[in-house]
Amino acid sequence: MCFRETGVWGGNWGGNVFAFGRKLFDVLSETLRRLAVNSLAFERKRTCVWRSQGFFFMTKIQIDVVLLCHETKNIMIMYKSILRPWLFRMDAEKIHGQIVALLHVYRHFPPVKCLLRAFYRPKATPFQWRNLTFANRVGLSAGFDKEANCFDELSDLGFGFLEVGTVTPEKVAGNPFPRIFRLPEDHALVSRTGFNNPGKEVVLKNLQRKRDGKYILGVNINTNAPTDAERAVTDITDLYETFSAYADYYTINWGSMTPEILTDVLTALESYKQRLHRPVFLKLPADVPVEKLDAVIEFAKVHHIDGFIATGPTQDRSLLIHSAQAEVERVGAGGISGLPVIHKSLEVMKYLSAHAPKDMLLIGAGGVMTPFEAKAMRNAGAHLVQVYSAFIYEGPGVVKRIAEKI
């Protein structure tokens, strides 16, 4: 297949992705070369990829999967010491877009996909909740795959479930660039994207790539008119019905609309839930006061919410204790995710576990970076955990590491 025909490499954007791919390949090759010393046997071949264009030569590395599986720790070290510093030299959202583009190329190489799946597949016990079977307890939070255009490829990295979005019926461009920032000293991300997404029709087309039975897929949904009750009801019920052929569950962010409007939305959703049988979860912000949680839980019970995700980002800058104040001020406004959120999310999770109905599904998110935080979240009462910042700071191997520990 000629990728130029698929639009993957078209125009200047395609040239940028190509250049990025070459650089990324060089870094990965060096990482694997170091791993190979005294531990792996490599068979190197000169292989021409994209023969129709007559360039982009790369070394094909045929790896014994059994041997490679013993090198997970070394790969994590190499990611942190070589690949991550290189990636962090570039704009966060730009590098994200180029990685997504490379995942689109990756989908056309089944042998590589099989190798990656075998390497990253966790040895974990499935978790059953109602009629949903999670291959393991680790999922990807909403926000990484806003357009639902690479969730299937990401599932190869060992996720038991993935959540795409946030999705609105109409396209949202979001806030001006730059709008995603890293604070490495705190292992944090600051984001003010503004629910950017391509809209319902594009996402629906992308969702059709879902492989049934391979993973659980959630969709985070929102309205284009959070202050208009009638429009919000129409938007949310439309998204719920439209995506239900592919979505296993839905998430609505608490605070994305007023409780009064959310009440109208959830009341209208009741008949759709009875017909389509897709659970709805509320995702709580990290800054929700604990003293308000009883009211939130009661609200959820009244409106037949099926579970909680705790928590999303925080606005509390006092949690950034390692980053220089000048750096924090340079970054500016936005929600903080990553390690600084863990104490707030654990506090909320403990309260939910103690006071929410026992049949509700509890998903721990916010600050889950390593197996240590994941275990703490499970001990707090979470049935499942979601990661996002961990995927960036710890590398793709963190999914398997966490899944095999919890």
Side-chain angles (χ1 to χ4, degrees), residues 169-187:
E170 297 176 5
K171 179 179 178 179
V172 175
N175 293 322
F177 295 90
R179 54 193 184 183
I180 301 177
F181 306 87
R182 312 179 192 92
L183 293 174
E185 295 298 321
D186 281 296
H187 283 196

Side-chain angles (χ1 to χ4, degrees), residues 122-125 136-138 370-376 378-379 385 397-406:
K123 296 177 181 177
T125 303
N136 62 68
R137 295 178 184 263
V138 183
T370 69
F372 178 81
E373 292 85 20
K375 287 180 180 179
R378 289 277 289 121
N379 291 337
V385 299
V398 72
V399 181
K400 181 177 181 180
R401 287 169 49 218
I402 293 176
E404 293 185 342
K405 294 295 185 180
I406 63 170

Side-chain angles (χ1 to χ4, degrees), residues 79-80 82-89 187 392-394:
Y79 173 81
K80 290 183 177 182
I82 299 176
L83 187 56
R84 189 178 75 184
W86 177 72
L87 293 172
F88 276 24
R89 289 162 57 189
H187 283 196
I392 295 167
Y393 278 97
E394 300 292 320

